[in-house]
Amino acid sequence: MKKLLYVFCFLTFGCDSERDCCEIINKIYADNQYTLVGAFASSINTPPGDNNTGDLGDNFGDVNIDVSQEEYDSYEVGDRYCWE
């Protein structure tokens, strides 16, 4: 039973909840669809030209999030966006 408690505590406190948040690096409106392009902190901190990722200026991010117009208008590039 004690081991189960340790596993539960590890999963609760050890998991990266930051994967549910990203920094908006671009906003796209096309074909009546509002999209926020986001990059996770690990991508933002990677030096440009690193072999693992491209530069953030290439309009590709870790995640594309389709949102309503209201959400689209309430966020700016550089803001942090979180979801559940």
Side-chain angles (χ1 to χ4, degrees):
M1 185 69 173
K2 218 176 199 184
K3 290 181 183 180
L4 184 60
L5 179 63
Y6 287 129
V7 170
F8 176 76
C9 288
F10 175 76
L11 291 176
T12 301
F13 298 111
C15 292
D16 185 10
S17 63
E18 293 298 310
R19 293 300 287 180
D20 293 341
C21 296
C22 64
E23 180 180 329
I24 298 171
I25 60 171
N26 197 9
K27 293 171 59 174
I28 301 169
Y29 173 73
D31 299 325
N32 293 322
Q33 183 62 49
Y34 298 92
T35 304
L36 301 175
V37 180
F40 296 112
S42 59
S43 297
I44 296 168
N45 295 329
T46 303
D50 188 349
N51 292 336
N52 292 335
T53 63
D55 295 336
L56 288 179
D58 60 6
N59 293 328
F60 290 100
D62 293 321
V63 63
N64 292 339
I65 308 155
D66 294 332
V67 295
S68 66
Q69 181 180 2
E70 182 180 352
E71 270 191 298
Y72 182 87
D73 292 338
S74 66
Y75 288 92
E76 298 296 327
V77 171
D79 288 348
R80 184 180 171 115
Y81 183 86
C82 296
W83 62 92
E84 293 181 20

